[in-house]
Amino acid sequence: MPEILYKKPTLLDIPAMQTLVAPEIESGVILPRSNDEIATNIRSYFLAMEGEKLVGFVALHIHSPQLAELRSMIIDQNYRGKNIGSMLVAKACEEGSALGLKEVLALTYQQRFFERLGFVEIPKESIPEHKIWADCIKCKHFPVCNEVSLIKTL
């Protein structure tokens, strides 16, 4: 298998990002993000590439000087189980640590994956309120959410 390279995206990567994440948005696993929203936050993303093919990405969204959230993480179905997600999380956490963040939050259906990476479950009530109103209210599952909230100290 060719090598997976990790990089920051450009605005030209947005169509491929939208194509890759579309099935998970349709199923309600990932919240939809408009092209404009992705463009505004393009610096928060990390891409996993096999040659010219986008095979995964994640965003590190900063909520405060202490806290960021991993969001919109997706790995191409054909590339899952190959450590790509772990590498994307590591890249995002490295950047968060370099920026001076203290904690990284993840809201997920993949609890065991994040626990293997050092995240621990926290009560949803401890999530910053602006997160609930800014993002969760857009979800088709709101207010009945089955996601688990986890946090990692950097």
Side-chain angles (χ1 to χ4, degrees), residues 48-74:
M49 306 291 297
E50 181 185 59
E52 295 297 311
K53 179 180 176 159
L54 176 64
V55 298
F57 66 84
V58 70
L60 179 71
H61 182 76
I62 297 172
H63 286 289
S64 74
Q66 290 79 35
L67 177 69
E69 176 189 4
L70 292 175
R71 63 185 199 179
S72 301
M73 187 161 127
I74 182 71

Side-chain angles (χ1 to χ4, degrees), residues 23-32 69-74 80 105-116 119 121 124 127 131 135-136 138-150:
E24 299 293 345
I25 290 171
E26 184 65 31
S27 69
V29 172
I30 294 180
L31 289 175
E69 176 189 4
L70 292 175
R71 63 185 199 179
S72 301
M73 187 161 127
I74 182 71
R80 292 181 185 173
L105 173 73
L107 287 168
T108 184
Y109 297 106
Q110 304 298 325
Q111 181 175 358
R112 282 186 236 122
F113 168 79
F114 283 98
E115 286 175 339
R116 284 194 309 269
F119 287 74
E121 186 175 358
K124 284 185 190 162
I127 296 171
K131 163 65 182 161
D135 287 329
C136 295
K138 298 179 205 172
C139 181
K140 64 165 104 180
H141 303 294
F142 184 79
V144 181
C145 176
N146 295 328
E147 284 188 312
V148 176
S149 52
L150 299 114

